[in-house]
Amino acid sequence: MSTSTLQQTKVVTQRFDTADGATLDGYRKTGGYEALKKALSMTPDQIIDIVKTSGLRGRGGAGFPTGTKWSFIPKDIRPSYLVCNADEGEPGTFKDRELMERDPHQLIEGMAIGAYSIGSNEMYIFCRGEFAYAARQLERAAAEAYEAGILGKNIMGSGYDLDLIIHRGAGAYICGEETALLEAIEGRRGQPRLRPPFPATHGLFAKPTVVNNVETFACVPHIVTNGADWFKGFGTEKSPGTKMFCLSGDVERPGNYEVPFGTPARDLIEGFAGGVKGGKKLKAFTPGGASSTQFFGPDKLDTNMDWESVMAAGSLLGTGAIIVFAEDVCMIRAALRYTRFYAHESCGKCTPCREGTYWMVNTLERFENGGGRPEDLKIMDDVAGNIIGRSFCALGDFSIAPVTSTIKLFASEYKDHIEKGGCPFDR
Amino acid sequence: MTAEQAPVNVTIDGVDVAVPAGTLIIRAAETIGKYIPRFCDHPLLDPLGACRQCLVEVEGQRKPLTACTTPVAEGMVVKTEFASDLARDGQKGVLEFLLINHPLDCPMCDKGGECPLQDQALAYGPGGSRYIDPKRRFTKPVPISPLVKLDRERCVLCARCTRFSDQIAGDPFIELFERGALEQVAIFEDEPYESIFSGNVIQICPVGALTSSTFRFRARPFDMTSADSTCNRCASGCRITAQMRRGELVRLLAKDDGDVNDEWMCDKGRFAYQYAQRPERVVEPLVRKNGEFVAVSWAEAIEVVAGRITAAREAGKTSAVLAGQQLLDEDAYALSRFARTVLATNDVDARRAIGGEDEDGVLAAIPKTITATNQDIDSAKLVVTIGVDLHEESPIVFLRVRKAARKGIAVREIGARRSAGRVQGSTWTRCRPGAEAALLAGVARALESRGNSGLDPFTRAAMQGVEATAEAQELAAALQGVHGSVVVLAGEQLAAVPGALGLAWNITAAVGGTFGWIPRKAGARGAAWAGLHPSLLPGGRSVDNDDDRAAFGEVWGIDPPSKRGRDARAILQDASGLGVLLLAGVDPATDFQDRELGARGIDDAPFVVALDLFLTESSRRADVVLPAAAVYERGGTLQNWEGRPQPVRMAVPPAGLGQSDFEIVAQIAIEAGVQFPETVEALRKEMKALKVTPAAARPVAVGKIENAASGGLVLATRRPLIDDGTMMLGADALAQTAAPLFVEIHPDDARGLSNGDDVFVRTASGEARGPVRLTDEVARGVVFVPGHAGFTGRSGETAMVERAES
Amino acid sequence: MTDIQGRWMDTPLMGKAYEHADAPPLSQRFHEEARKLIARYPAGQSRSALLPMLYLAQAEQGYVSPAAMREIGDLLGLTRAQVGAVATFYTMFKRDPQGKWLVSVCTHPSCALAGGKQLKDRLEQELGISCGETAGDVSLEEVECLCACDGAPVFSVNYENYERMTVDDAVDLVKRLHTGEQPPPGARGEVPREFGPVNHRLSGAEAPR
């Protein structure tokens, strides 16, 4: 990535520009697998304690405290499983892919520490089917790790056995939902499960399971090596640590940028990413990918990017995927594309998401083709209101975000579409 | 009371109610008469929470919750659509969503008038639709089996049908395909929805997506009258609703009875009712004059029959009664009483194959012993089936065992061929036909060496000189140590092996288990109770017991004869010496184990009177045929395999001049000068007076057991559920779902034969022809041929298998 | 309404009405590898090998055929309907034989803003097919976010990403594939393999464990 005047805080991305960072040698040269060695000499409880104290929160979108999640695993039921959710599919997000491509051993080390702390001898990486290169990198790294005795029987001479299975997805965004992911590993349709019971007690193969995101696991070796306090030194009290933010869309320098939580959105968009492409004005941006419940306008550029601040500003941090739209973008076309995504990826299990997304797609298509009516705005708001909080899983909740936030922020564009009998924008 | 057992207090719409812990909100609401709308929820299926229709507001929760997946918690305050805007809006929203793609098919949809979508849309939905865009379109309807048609446009994706097939029936041939708005119920192209339980999905589908090909466009629900009755196609005893329109039976539905059939019935019971309305029905009394049948009045027919009976009695000739096993309880009792009081004989039998003395002992014991019930299966730790394929012979009992297996009980099948139905985790002890008695004797031997002290002297005598095989040891180990929680289900195949049924009975008692007899026919238990047997009187009493006979003398006014009568085989063999041979609902020329003997006996008998629905191979040889009413055409009682009496009620008037068997018999009796109860009530009064309180099982005599033929191939056969019998007449769609005939052999016995080869199977008694299927679902040394028309081979006979030259 | 794969809503029942002849039985190699795949998972969890086995069948036959679904069902003790239900849920299992090169074009806003939609339209035009169809060696599809948004516009050939190409250059690349040329290295420097070998890799048959 080209430079900017601001400096990233490279914790999980520190090896990205190292030529051999993805190889075992390159990983070890830069301190890799020291954390695992240290962890294997500690007790599982001690490790969970460090992670808890560090305040690490899941980076897959929900932001659930990781240490707490690990502590839910009962100690007396075995086997237990550790699963990495590498089914990155949230539009605008591309951090997990880069982490797996450029630093696969970091993920393996983080997972191994997690597995040891929950007494699991079998870890799964559920890697999206389309991530061909990332999966090859993982397979190469896993092969190296097995060869070097870091995976397999008696890892690093500790007496602990640990296996890694890389299981591929097959083209379903919904498998990023943790229970749908488990269903996919079990060879079923990827439809989310009823909770309770929760994966912590009845997860993979009905056994206690932890599911965490790639970036979450990537933080773990650093926390173990440097300590909980070190981690809390970055970011805010409620959102400690650093975060990879994915900048894309109408920006000069799209890419992943790792900064402490609390960094203002302006720094990311105008600073690191070089501002709106072609010098245009900013029309809107998403704080957390297409599933952000509310898109932001230019008035929100000074929002600090951490969970609590984004929520206070009316949206969700989610995966930290910032998609930028310039002033000449048709927001309805964008909303239509996102809504078609949700309609296509809807698993179909529950009525509101399955039928509601179908309805919204049809309505938005009508707007684009000149058939929009004024009453459609109220209807779509109602439809959205009948989906949110009523669907089986969060995909339904997120599917309405593009619709409701564009109606709220860009009602004039809808009116223009009606008056002009179609889309007045070029892009 | 432990904390788990203590009831939980909740408030629903301001009403306080206490329900057992773990109760779902939707069920708790029903206990106070509150109906929460739903589609995917069904009390007999695992909760799903997919349709989102049952949203309710729970205080303290920010989102509405689905009542069908949320168990109650102490102090929970629930508000349904009556008391909460959130709940009402939520439900209305879901209905609006369901209707956007739902076609406006009501005028031509079978479900209209009994449709939960219609009803709930009216009660809880929006008044109109705001949706103006194109609806989802699918080609419709698509047959997914000869019986079931699928209309994907109407489907609300509640997954009741797919969950039923997977969870309840174990036949996951229908599944949800695709994803999102394209999601649809589908089958795989060459695997139609052939399940003997397929009709149930039509009944539980909450919309008109799954419809019956036989009922399609026949009637509106409000155009039909219904009768609450019981099915008589097997001994499961499903409670049914029989529906009539313009004097014609148009549909049968399963009734909800948690003690018997939950809400299910099999396809045979559901779809094979057309026989009752066929033109082939005998509708008038027929008397043979000059070699031809002539229709006469009832008065004349009764007079002729009574006249012959009286003449025979005066000439010192005994008359005999052969009865079928599909009679209602009152008919069976009436026939038994008729034989003893009017014909003054014990020459009565309802069996189509004669077993050994152990069969007599068990039939005598069943009416007066505590036997297994469905609840025993529910709460058992181990269920053993022997000599029966529950899936083919008593499907709803199969479902019961399957349900229990899903909850973790162990199931063991003992037989020559694995059951056609899948029970989770069941183990199979292979046993060639004819070897069951030896196996059980081995089990007894093994039980003794394991310290069992409950073995009776008959069993001990039988196990002399018998070694316990490995299988016998394994069975004994499984049985021992499960005191009180073992249920043994034995079928009629066992009675063909001398000593086997008796040993099964005795061993069950020895391990503290409960015994269940699963006869193939619905009236078999009633026939046993009625004493339709040469040595038995009603209530399990014996003809050679003075006290027993005296009891009847009081009730009947006439003492029954004391000499043991002749069994069916003997009756047929000596038929030429009879006075009158009365056939009641039986077709010996087709069904008797020795069909030739059946036909010959009927021909030899000087005078034959047949009570029947049709002119069968047997009744067409008779001298008088008296038309009987079919089960849908009359009232009465039918006890199922548990001995549970269940009501049969008239749904349609009898065809032509048909009457109930007991009515006919009563009229003959009275005409012959013998007083006889003429109504159901009068019969029931007598039966009640003769009732015996069931007690704990007592050992039965086993007799000598044989060692089965060893080496070579032995035939195993039993009739499939969807067969080609008389009562399948007219059930064309159902007949198309019959499993194709295969000659099944274990691969180790193939001897050069491959799948599909055309072969003959020959035994001493019969011959069959069909294609070979090599499968490990058949024990080694066994060739399995399903029973079918014209096949007279018997289980246990040595079989030769040869290629058929074309 | 057509969905993103260009499929009209009315899909026929599984297996019916697909015009091409059904595929031959799966090979001995398939069965050997399938057994190994089943062995990866804990005892009693052979169903977990279902998705991997569907990839393996697709590697051999270029799509997931009804014949393959039958055989896989038999191997795992599942009915055909159960296999079909899973196979039709996931978009990476194809219903029709694919060409050597599956070209997937992302049209999400991050890519659309950089020309993704134009690329899709031009490719349809150049190849003379709609998305979801095949022309010779090239199959074309429109896909959801490939999560490589910093490389917009993104398209992939057998899941190997090509990033930041102009529409003209991208169209040119695909045209050359269509004439039988091998593809150039993708954005990460590796050349895509053909559809069959790529699916073989997806099955996990080449994974370290």
Side-chain angles (χ1 to χ4, degrees):
Chain A
M1 301 289 131
S2 54
T3 54
S4 98
T5 51
L6 297 165
Q7 291 285 14
Q8 294 187 52
T9 309
K10 292 185 178 233
V11 174
V12 297
T13 58
Q14 59 185 252
R15 286 185 199 85
F16 275 18
D17 294 323
T18 318
D20 58 353
T23 66
L24 180 56
D25 281 342
Y27 189 65
R28 276 194 153 138
K29 267 190 329 218
T30 49
Y33 288 118
E34 289 301 310
L36 178 57
K37 195 156 151 200
K38 182 176 174 190
L40 288 170
S41 71
M42 297 160 68
T43 66
D45 279 342
Q46 285 171 322
I47 299 171
I48 293 179
D49 211 49
I50 293 182
V51 175
K52 246 187 183 164
T53 314
S54 76
L56 173 67
R57 292 171 68 165
R59 265 79 167 125
F64 191 84
T66 308
T68 309
K69 187 186 264 194
W70 294 7
S71 71
F72 286 154
I73 299 294
K75 300 224 186 296
D76 52 350
I77 303 177
R78 290 290 176 264
S80 55
Y81 294 101
L82 186 96
V83 177
C84 173
N85 185 345
D87 191 55
E88 183 169 61
E90 184 62 50
T93 315
F94 42 93
K95 57 187 180 71
D96 297 337
R97 184 185 45 75
E98 196 164 21
L99 280 168
M100 291 188 283
E101 288 179 353
R102 292 184 188 265
D103 204 347
H105 280 286
Q106 179 177 239
L107 172 60
I108 293 177
E109 187 175 15
M111 285 177 70
I113 295 170
Y116 174 70
S117 73
I118 64 161
S120 160
N121 301 108
E122 203 150 289
M123 343 190 266
Y124 285 76
I125 298 180
F126 186 84
C127 180
R128 185 172 169 180
E130 294 92 330
F131 281 177
Y133 179 69
R136 288 203 299 278
Q137 290 291 81
L138 283 173
E139 285 178 356
R140 285 176 199 142
E144 287 183 311
Y146 269 105
E147 180 93 7
I150 295 166
L151 288 174
K153 299 241 175 290
N154 187 20
I155 62 171
M156 295 177 115
S158 65
Y160 196 78
D161 297 340
L162 188 57
D163 267 321
L164 171 64
I165 298 177
I166 299 169
H167 189 105
R168 307 301 299 279
Y173 164 77
I174 184 62
C175 287
E177 198 277 342
E178 68 174 1
T179 59
L181 188 154
L182 297 175
E183 288 286 284
I185 297 183
E186 292 185 11
R188 298 178 200 285
R189 293 159 62 78
Q191 294 187 318
R193 296 176 180 168
L194 261 185
R195 283 179 291 188
F198 290 88
T201 50
H202 290 77
L204 187 60
F205 311 133
K207 295 288 179 214
T209 306
V210 152
V211 183
N212 271 125
N213 174 262
V214 171
E215 193 186 355
T216 314
F217 281 124
C219 295
V220 170
H222 305 281
I223 293 172
V224 168
T225 300
N226 301 308
D229 287 338
W230 164 85
F231 192 73
K232 284 198 287 197
F234 303 106
T236 71
E237 193 192 326
K238 292 209 184 108
S239 309
T242 57
K243 176 81 179 77
M244 288 171 76
F245 287 94
C246 317
L247 278 287
S248 72
D250 282 333
V251 286
E252 287 291 340
R253 293 190 290 271
N256 283 314
Y257 296 99
E258 187 177 5
V259 295
F261 272 114
T263 302
R266 191 186 292 278
D267 281 4
L268 284 159
I269 295 173
E270 292 177 0
F272 288 103
V276 182
K277 209 168 184 182
K280 296 180 196 162
K281 293 228 284 284
L282 175 97
K283 183 186 253 186
F285 70 100
T286 68
S291 299
S292 310
T293 49
Q294 180 75 359
F295 293 2
F296 281 165
D299 57 316
K300 296 271 200 317
L301 271 172
D302 293 305
T303 312
N304 291 339
M305 297 303 287
D306 57 65
W307 272 293
E308 56 276 20
S309 306
V310 173
M311 188 175 277
S315 186
L316 281 182
L317 184 83
T319 54
I322 298 177
I323 310 168
V324 172
F325 300 97
E327 60 195 313
D328 60 340
V329 172
C330 174
M331 290 313 293
I332 291 167
R333 200 182 302 188
L336 169 59
R337 188 57 188 86
Y338 286 132
T339 312
R340 290 186 85 208
F341 164 72
Y342 291 111
H344 180 231
E345 298 293 345
S346 169
C347 78
K349 183 174 190 171
C350 77
T351 309
C353 175
R354 181 185 72 236
E355 308 292 343
T357 54
Y358 180 88
W359 194 345
M360 291 192 297
V361 166
N362 280 335
T363 309
L364 290 170
E365 273 181 354
R366 253 193 302 118
F367 268 92
E368 277 289 289
N369 298 331
R373 310 167 302 167
E375 56 268 43
D376 285 323
L377 294 181
K378 167 88 176 35
I379 291 175
M380 282 206 288
D381 245 350
D382 272 355
V383 168
N386 281 333
I387 298 175
I388 191 165
R390 317 262 170 96
S391 55
F392 193 91
C393 80
L395 192 154
D397 293 339
F398 295 144
S399 71
I400 63 157
V403 168
T404 51
S405 59
T406 50
I407 288 177
K408 188 160 165 200
L409 294 176
F410 303 106
S412 59
E413 286 194 28
Y414 282 98
K415 294 203 173 70
D416 280 346
H417 277 70
I418 297 174
E419 275 158 31
K420 296 189 174 128
C423 182
F425 290 92
D426 288 329
R427 57 199 291 265
Chain B
M1 210 187 256
T2 65
E4 290 104 7
Q5 291 168 335
V8 172
N9 297 293
V10 297
T11 310
I12 303 178
D13 287 354
V15 176
D16 293 326
V17 58
V19 288
T23 306
L24 300 164
I25 295 178
I26 202 171
R27 302 274 93 79
E30 285 167 357
T31 63
I32 53 168
K34 278 214 187 291
Y35 178 86
I36 298 174
R38 80 292 294 266
F39 292 101
C40 69
D41 169 76
H42 191 284
L44 296 165
L45 300 172
D46 292 347
L48 188 62
C51 71
R52 317 308 284 174
Q53 185 59 55
C54 64
L55 293 170
V56 292
E57 184 181 343
V58 173
E59 221 169 74
Q61 297 289 329
R62 55 185 177 84
K63 301 201 291 190
L65 301 182
T66 43
C68 71
T69 60
T70 314
V72 297
E74 181 64 32
M76 194 184 247
V77 176
V78 177
K79 295 203 191 107
T80 71
E81 64 279 3
F82 295 104
S84 156
D85 284 340
L86 180 62
R88 186 174 33 251
D89 284 340
Q91 292 175 12
K92 197 160 139 187
V94 172
L95 272 159
E96 186 178 27
F97 281 138
L98 284 173
L99 293 170
I100 66 163
N101 273 314
H102 197 79
L104 287 172
D105 277 1
C106 293
M108 60 175 191
C109 173
D110 281 350
K111 205 79 179 179
E114 56 182 12
C115 175
L117 180 61
Q118 270 184 343
D119 296 343
Q120 291 176 142
L122 277 172
Y124 308 100
S129 178
R130 299 181 286 181
Y131 183 76
I132 61 165
D133 295 302
K135 290 179 187 264
R136 213 169 31 217
R137 299 303 310 275
F138 290 110
T139 343
K140 56 191 256 177
V142 173
I144 56 174
S145 84
L147 291 167
V148 183
K149 287 183 149 59
L150 169 67
D151 188 321
R152 291 167 288 174
E153 291 179 357
R154 299 176 187 168
C155 177
V156 291
L157 298 161
C158 69
R160 276 187 184 182
C161 58
T162 53
R163 281 181 293 149
F164 170 82
S165 307
D166 183 37
Q167 294 169 17
I168 308 289
D171 293 327
F173 298 114
I174 52 171
E175 257 286 359
L176 285 170
F177 281 44
E178 307 280 353
R179 177 174 92 196
L182 269 174
E183 197 181 40
Q184 54 192 272
V185 169
I187 55 167
F188 202 85
E189 78 180 74
D190 61 355
E191 204 179 53
Y193 185 35
E194 268 167 11
S195 159
I196 61 168
F197 302 108
S198 67
N200 291 295
V201 301
I202 298 171
Q203 193 169 333
I204 59 172
C205 179
V207 296
L210 290 165
T211 49
S212 155
S213 61
T214 59
F215 181 64
R216 202 167 167 77
F217 302 146
R218 298 293 304 280
R220 283 293 181 202
F222 37 83
D223 249 356
M224 299 188 283
T225 53
S226 303
D228 170 0
S229 190
T230 302
C231 180
N232 75 335
R233 304 308 284 268
C234 83
S236 294
C238 298
R239 301 284 280 108
I240 62 173
T241 303
Q243 299 188 303
M244 169 194 84
R245 178 175 187 260
R246 295 191 183 173
E248 200 188 328
L249 261 185
V250 287
R251 183 171 70 166
L252 301 182
L253 294 175
K255 268 184 80 68
D256 195 352
D257 187 339
D259 291 333
V260 181
N261 60 312
D262 283 338
E263 207 181 307
W264 321 126
M265 63 192 290
C266 77
D267 284 357
K268 185 166 184 189
R270 189 188 293 272
F271 292 114
Y273 55 82
Q274 291 87 341
Y275 72 90
Q277 283 152 172
R278 296 287 304 184
E280 293 92 332
R281 283 285 297 277
V282 178
V283 294
E284 305 166 288
L286 302 170
V287 171
R288 197 178 290 280
K289 297 181 180 175
N290 300 320
E292 293 299 319
F293 275 133
V294 173
V296 302
S297 67
W298 269 108
E300 183 180 337
I302 298 289
E303 205 185 309
V304 165
V305 174
R308 287 303 289 244
I309 288 172
T310 314
R313 197 168 53 215
E314 279 159 12
K317 299 256 186 203
T318 30
S319 297
V321 175
L322 290 178
Q325 295 196 326
Q326 221 151 352
L327 298 166
L328 300 196
D329 293 353
E330 292 86 356
D331 300 330
Y333 172 74
L335 279 164
S336 180
R337 192 196 198 285
F338 182 84
R340 273 85 189 212
T341 60
V342 178
L343 303 181
T345 181
N346 283 322
D347 288 352
V348 181
D349 209 345
R351 295 171 293 175
R352 59 176 201 90
I354 312 303
E357 67 175 296
D358 60 315
E359 183 190 35
D360 289 348
V362 171
L363 288 176
I366 281 176
K368 44 191 202 240
T369 308
I370 299 168
T371 52
T373 64
N374 285 314
Q375 284 65 43
D376 291 328
I377 295 175
D378 293 343
S379 57
K381 289 276 185 329
L382 169 67
V383 170
V384 178
T385 68
I386 177 167
V388 63
D389 180 342
L390 289 176
H391 185 268
E392 296 300 306
E393 300 180 46
S394 208
I396 300 309
V397 179
F398 164 78
L399 288 184
R400 202 93 190 183
V401 171
R402 223 191 98 81
K403 181 164 78 163
R406 278 188 85 224
K407 295 208 177 88
I409 67 148
V411 176
R412 262 182 191 274
E413 278 177 57
I414 305 172
R417 184 195 188 271
R418 231 176 175 198
S419 167
R422 279 286 155 270
V423 173
Q424 200 164 303
S426 66
T427 45
W428 175 33
T429 301
R430 291 149 176 81
C431 181
R432 301 209 311 172
E436 293 91 338
L439 174 68
L440 288 170
V443 170
R445 166 73 70 202
L447 282 172
E448 183 197 46
S449 63
R450 298 178 75 88
N452 184 295
S453 55
L455 293 169
D456 58 280
F458 302 116
T459 308
R460 285 183 187 285
M463 72 194 205
Q464 287 305 314
V466 171
E467 293 285 325
T469 58
E471 282 106 354
Q473 299 273 11
E474 203 200 335
L475 280 168
L479 287 167
Q480 194 83 337
V482 202
H483 286 285
S485 288
V486 179
V487 171
V488 175
L489 301 174
E492 63 177 33
Q493 295 167 46
L494 214 55
V497 183
L501 189 61
L503 280 170
W505 176 274
N506 292 343
I507 290 173
T508 307
V511 298
T514 357
F515 186 89
W517 180 50
I518 311 281
R520 170 83 198 232
K521 298 274 191 181
R525 181 131 180 176
W529 191 94
L532 284 174
H533 187 285
S535 61
L536 298 181
L537 292 169
R541 298 177 177 85
S542 296
V543 300
D544 51 20
N545 181 308
D546 294 335
D547 291 329
D548 286 350
R549 280 203 325 284
F552 285 96
E554 280 183 38
V555 177
W556 290 347
I558 303 174
D559 273 9
S562 60
K563 187 161 150 247
R564 194 205 145 100
R566 292 176 291 178
D567 62 39
R569 190 185 303 126
I571 291 170
L572 288 163
Q573 271 164 351
D574 302 334
S576 53
L578 289 172
V580 173
L581 174 61
L582 181 68
L583 303 175
V586 66
D587 184 2
T590 308
D591 291 333
F592 198 65
Q593 189 170 56
D594 185 343
R595 299 159 71 202
E596 278 176 23
L597 175 60
R600 208 166 54 239
I602 295 171
D603 286 336
D604 287 348
F607 194 82
V608 180
V609 180
L611 277 62
D612 215 318
L613 303 174
F614 296 102
L615 286 178
T616 61
E617 272 303 306
S618 302
S619 60
R620 69 176 178 76
R621 295 171 144 90
D623 296 285
V624 177
V625 179
L626 301 172
V631 70
Y632 314 110
E633 300 168 348
R634 30 93 42 105
T637 318
L638 188 56
Q639 53 180 287
N640 72 349
W641 71 279
E642 305 169 280
R644 185 192 301 264
Q646 309 212 97
V648 166
R649 296 201 181 88
M650 179 191 279
V652 289
L657 298 175
Q659 296 191 70
S660 305
D661 298 64
F662 73 81
E663 287 177 314
I664 301 172
V665 149
Q667 285 160 42
I668 299 173
I670 289 167
E671 183 71 21
V674 179
Q675 209 227 23
F676 206 90
E678 291 179 77
T679 63
V680 167
E681 291 72 30
L683 284 164
R684 284 202 194 130
K685 195 161 158 218
E686 283 192 6
M687 290 161 82
K688 192 166 167 199
L690 294 164
K691 215 170 140 56
V692 177
T693 310
R698 307 248 293 276
V700 304
V702 170
K704 197 152 182 350
I705 62 168
E706 291 160 6
N707 277 317
S710 55
L713 281 178
V714 154
L715 175 70
T717 181
R718 51 117 185 93
R719 292 193 81 91
L721 182 74
I722 313 296
D723 60 1
D724 42 19
T726 320
M727 283 159 74
M728 282 287 295
L729 205 57
D732 301 323
L734 178 66
Q736 288 175 51
T737 67
L741 189 150
F742 284 105
V743 171
E744 292 178 336
I745 309 177
H746 194 277
D748 290 357
D749 295 324
R751 282 192 230 123
L753 291 169
S754 339
N755 280 323
D757 285 352
D758 190 18
V759 296
F760 279 113
V761 180
R762 294 191 177 96
T763 71
S765 308
E767 177 181 286
R769 182 177 180 169
V772 166
R773 183 205 268 166
L774 298 175
T775 169
D776 58 5
E777 311 249 294
V778 160
R780 288 194 189 82
V782 169
V783 53
F784 178 83
V785 179
H788 57 278
F791 182 52
T792 48
R794 296 180 210 170
S795 281
E797 292 182 320
T798 309
M800 301 293 296
V801 177
E802 309 174 318
R803 254 182 235 284
E805 304 305 322
S806 48
Chain C
M1 163 189 160
T2 55
D3 77 339
I4 192 174
Q5 302 287 333
R7 290 178 299 173
W8 182 240
M9 274 302 189
D10 186 3
T11 56
L13 279 185
M14 190 77 247
K16 281 193 193 307
Y18 289 109
E19 299 303 322
H20 51 79
D22 202 357
L26 294 162
S27 66
Q28 182 65 14
R29 183 187 174 204
F30 171 89
H31 283 273
E32 279 160 16
E33 295 192 311
R35 272 193 286 276
K36 288 206 199 106
L37 289 174
I38 294 173
R40 289 171 112 201
Y41 300 97
Q45 301 295 343
S46 61
R47 196 173 166 148
S48 291
L50 177 52
L51 272 78
M53 282 163 74
L54 288 167
Y55 274 127
L56 202 60
Q58 189 158 269
E60 188 169 303
Q61 297 182 336
Y63 70 119
V64 179
S65 65
M69 284 193 255
R70 271 179 225 120
E71 278 192 72
I72 291 174
D74 286 338
L75 279 170
L76 295 175
L78 298 171
T79 62
R80 326 270 182 255
Q82 287 176 305
V83 177
V86 172
T88 54
F89 185 86
Y90 298 97
T91 56
M92 285 174 70
F93 297 130
K94 306 302 179 190
R95 318 281 172 91
D96 302 293
Q98 302 293 290
K100 273 194 214 151
W101 312 110
L102 173 63
V103 175
S104 316
V105 183
C106 175
T107 52
H108 265 254
S110 294
C111 287
L113 294 175
K117 180 101 186 353
Q118 281 93 295
L119 174 57
K120 177 199 97 131
D121 291 340
R122 283 275 306 277
L123 285 174
E124 285 186 319
Q125 212 178 28
E126 295 287 346
L127 295 168
I129 54 176
S130 302
C131 279
E133 295 177 347
T134 301
D137 283 345
V138 177
S139 298
L140 183 64
E141 64 172 359
E142 186 183 356
V143 291
E144 307 295 355
C145 184
L146 288 171
C147 291
C149 319
D150 52 343
V154 179
F155 71 99
S156 65
V157 175
N158 290 345
Y159 311 116
E160 208 64 42
N161 288 355
Y162 290 87
E163 297 175 2
R164 280 195 214 94
M165 290 178 79
T166 65
V167 174
D168 286 330
D169 286 344
V171 171
D172 200 55
L173 191 158
V174 175
K175 272 164 74 174
R176 279 186 274 126
L177 287 178
H178 192 228
T179 60
E181 282 184 42
Q182 294 291 105
R188 294 293 173 273
E190 300 191 1
V191 174
R193 295 200 272 168
E194 292 183 19
F195 192 67
V198 160
N199 276 275
H200 190 260
R201 191 140 198 176
L202 278 164
S203 73
E206 299 168 33
R209 192 220 176 256

